[in-house]
Amino acid sequence: GCADRCCWKCCPWSAQACWGRCKIRTQSLIDSTELAPLFRLRGSVIPKAMCWAIPSAALSAVCQWHIEKWGVDEVTESLTRVSQIWSSFTFILGVLIVFRTNQAYARFWEGATLLQQVRGEWYNASSSLLAFTSAKPEMKQEVRNFERQFICLMSMLYCAGLQTVALVADDKMEIIDNTSIDPKALNFLRTGVDRCEV
């Protein structure tokens, strides 16, 4: 339920206020059947590709009209030059496509690696900090409260970091229960510009 997990951008940030309002994602990204990301313009290469494709298609139509109007016999000797130009164009286009695809693939894996590295570094930092908490029996409850609040803050930090780099319209992500944190502080974090720095 929402009492255990609360969305980062959910109303006043208490578990009671979030009850029933949080959008808990139960399906994984792999199981998603939505096709909307394939047709959105934000982050798409289609508008830029259309800037090149439409003039090329118009030029092809003009060439076809010219061939139909003047006949194939007069254009035959120019077709050999066109085939050479076409071969050169195809070769250059193939090289560019392979280069751009390799660049995009390398950038994707660099981003994915950096995200996992951030997750691992923060996990190691959290583990190291919690490993050095007091083991005295009289401080057991204080240590538990500290651990709970610290883990909640680290969860919110990772969520804020993911939202900073996310390019989706709905960037609500799950965090660990934040009922132990002051609602005024949560409201300040929610409205802050750079939440990772706070």
Side-chain angles (χ1 to χ4, degrees):
C2 199
D4 296 329
R5 296 179 177 186
C6 196
C7 298
W8 177 254
K9 289 187 175 178
C10 214
C11 309
W13 291 78
S14 65
Q16 292 79 18
C18 284
W19 186 261
R21 293 193 213 184
C22 277
K23 179 180 178 184
I24 304 298
R25 295 187 179 202
T26 55
Q27 65 180 6
S28 67
L29 293 174
I30 297 171
D31 295 331
S32 177
T33 57
E34 297 177 10
L35 295 176
L38 296 176
F39 301 106
R40 70 173 182 221
L41 290 179
R42 183 178 178 196
S44 176
V45 296
I46 291 176
K48 192 178 252 186
M50 293 302 279
C51 291
W52 290 94
I54 290 174
S56 298
L59 183 62
S60 298
V62 168
C63 289
Q64 183 63 32
W65 173 79
H66 181 53
I67 289 172
E68 288 177 3
K69 182 175 180 181
W70 299 105
V72 178
D73 294 333
E74 285 99 16
V75 191
T76 305
E77 92 182 29
S78 66
L79 286 178
T80 57
R81 281 181 275 151
V82 169
S83 66
Q84 292 172 350
I85 292 171
W86 180 253
S87 299
S88 302
F89 172 74
T90 306
F91 174 75
I92 292 170
L93 183 65
V95 169
L96 288 176
I97 287 175
V98 168
F99 175 74
R100 292 291 300 232
T101 303
N102 285 339
Q103 288 291 318
Y105 190 70
R107 287 178 184 167
F108 167 77
W109 277 112
E110 182 183 6
T113 303
L114 289 174
L115 276 177
Q116 291 301 322
Q117 185 178 355
V118 165
R119 181 174 175 255
E121 294 288 338
W122 286 350
Y123 183 83
N124 287 339
S126 302
S127 301
S128 298
L129 184 72
L130 295 179
F132 292 104
T133 54
S134 177
K136 295 179 182 177
E138 61 269 11
M139 297 186 69
K140 185 175 181 179
Q141 188 58 39
E142 292 178 22
V143 169
R144 291 286 288 186
N145 291 340
F146 169 76
E147 288 174 347
R148 185 178 296 119
Q149 189 164 11
F150 178 74
I151 294 299
C152 175
L153 289 172
M154 289 303 293
S155 172
M156 290 169 56
L157 176 64
Y158 188 63
C159 179
L162 288 179
Q163 286 178 337
T164 303
V165 297
L167 293 176
V168 291
D170 181 18
D171 61 351
K172 294 179 181 174
M173 299 178 191
E174 297 176 2
I175 61 171
I176 297 175
D177 181 29
N178 58 4
T179 54
S180 60
I181 300 176
D182 182 29
K184 290 181 181 178
L186 291 173
N187 191 37
F188 174 75
L189 285 173
R190 182 172 57 88
T191 57
V193 178
D194 196 355
R195 290 176 296 212
C196 290
E197 295 296 323
V198 175

